Amino acid sequence: MATILIVEDDALLLDALTGQLKQLDYSVCTASSVAQAMALLQTQAVDGIILDLGLPGADGMELLTWARAHIAGLPVLILTARDGVDDRVLGLNAGADDYITKPFNMQELQARLQAMLRRARQPAFTQASSAAGAVSTTIGPLVLDHASHAAALNGDLLELTQREWELLELLVHRCGEVVTRDDVLAAWRASPPEPGQTAAPLNSNALEVYVHRLRKKLDQSNLVIRNIRGLGYMLNKP
């Protein structure tokens, strides 16, 4: 049973969300301020957070920033009345996994929460793509060393940035399967930013750039990153 922390100062909405999630067999804990949420997170493990931004005393963005610095990989869904594009971009770039504005549809919230938790359980998201404990993975001419975050193609070391490595590791781990754009972006947001790129936007446009770079680096092999229209990407089995 997953445990969800709801951080919301509207008592009626808090009660409604708590009741709905309990009906779905979630374990629920609640907080009505950033201070309460921080105190709870230091004593209790949770699997995800539903976070309002307009909280008394301190803004919910402060909790998001704190959580990203202290609890690696904890999925956070922002639920707020702030519906501006700039607010969405700010929240997602700060590390939120999803963003829903009020008023909202409960079925959509449930679906997004389930998807967020499902992504959080994926190996690449938790920085453990070698789930079986393997030190390295070999696919055709490509060898990935998970301990050193290094990859070699036909015996030659590939020059990879941190984001390129994370993307390649995820594609290799799920070789022959579709990796959605949301899967990749969630994995990126769960990891530290690249050196010198603290404010780099993590979005579909950035992802396209990294996919293009990886394709060029794999160009001299039989490994092909396919674009699965409307879904994401797939590394073909050689």
Side-chain angles (χ1 to χ4, degrees):
M1 178 187 296
T3 299
I4 305 300
L5 169 61
I6 305 174
V7 187
E8 171 62 63
D9 66 323
D10 184 321
L12 291 177
L13 178 56
L14 184 61
D15 287 344
L17 282 173
T18 299
Q20 290 281 349
L21 293 184
K22 285 184 175 180
Q23 287 183 17
L24 295 170
D25 292 327
Y26 288 104
S27 175
V28 179
C29 50
T30 64
S32 58
S33 69
V34 169
Q36 288 180 9
M38 285 184 180
L40 188 149
L41 288 169
Q42 292 178 73
T43 60
Q44 180 174 342
V46 303
D47 298 291
I49 300 177
I50 296 176
L51 174 64
D52 184 24
L53 296 182
L55 298 167
D59 191 85
M61 287 294 293
E62 292 186 29
L63 179 62
L64 175 59
T65 302
W66 180 90
R68 282 290 166 261
H70 293 83
I71 310 174
L74 178 63
V76 178
L77 186 156
I78 290 177
L79 179 63
T80 181
R82 300 177 190 174
D83 58 358
V85 173
D86 290 344
D87 293 313
R88 290 173 182 265
V89 171
L90 181 63
L92 292 171
N93 282 346
D97 298 275
D98 208 341
Y99 194 109
I100 299 180
T101 58
K102 302 174 183 177
F104 61 94
N105 180 280
M106 190 63 206
Q107 287 184 319
E108 180 185 4
L109 174 65
Q110 293 169 4
R112 287 175 178 262
L113 177 61
Q114 290 167 356
M116 181 181 76
L117 295 176
R118 186 168 60 249
R119 290 195 299 269
R121 291 190 291 267
Q122 291 175 353
F125 189 94
T126 59
Q127 304 301 298
S129 62
S130 173
V135 175
S136 64
T137 301
T138 300
I139 295 184
L142 180 67
V143 179
L144 268 61
D145 185 323
H146 301 288
S148 63
H149 288 192
L153 183 65
N154 296 316
D156 296 325
L157 195 64
L158 293 176
E159 293 186 10
L160 299 173
T161 67
Q162 175 183 317
R163 297 297 183 218
E164 289 171 348
W165 161 261
E166 291 164 349
L167 173 58
L168 180 60
E169 188 181 37
L170 180 54
L171 289 168
V172 166
H173 176 71
R174 293 171 56 186
C175 184
E177 302 176 14
V178 175
V179 177
T180 70
R181 294 177 178 84
D182 284 345
D183 290 341
V184 181
L185 295 177
W188 280 355
R189 291 180 184 124
S191 67
E194 290 186 319
Q197 297 294 324
T198 55
L202 299 178
N203 53 38
S204 292
N205 290 335
L207 176 53
E208 289 286 348
V209 172
Y210 283 103
V211 169
H212 177 70
R213 290 179 184 174
L214 272 186
R215 281 175 173 152
K216 291 185 67 176
K217 293 177 180 181
L218 299 176
D219 190 47
Q220 301 303 314
S221 73
N222 58 351
L223 297 170
V224 178
I225 302 174
R226 292 177 53 203
N227 186 3
I228 309 302
R229 184 166 181 168
L231 294 175
Y233 304 94
M234 177 192 295
L235 180 64
N236 279 357
K237 292 184 177 180

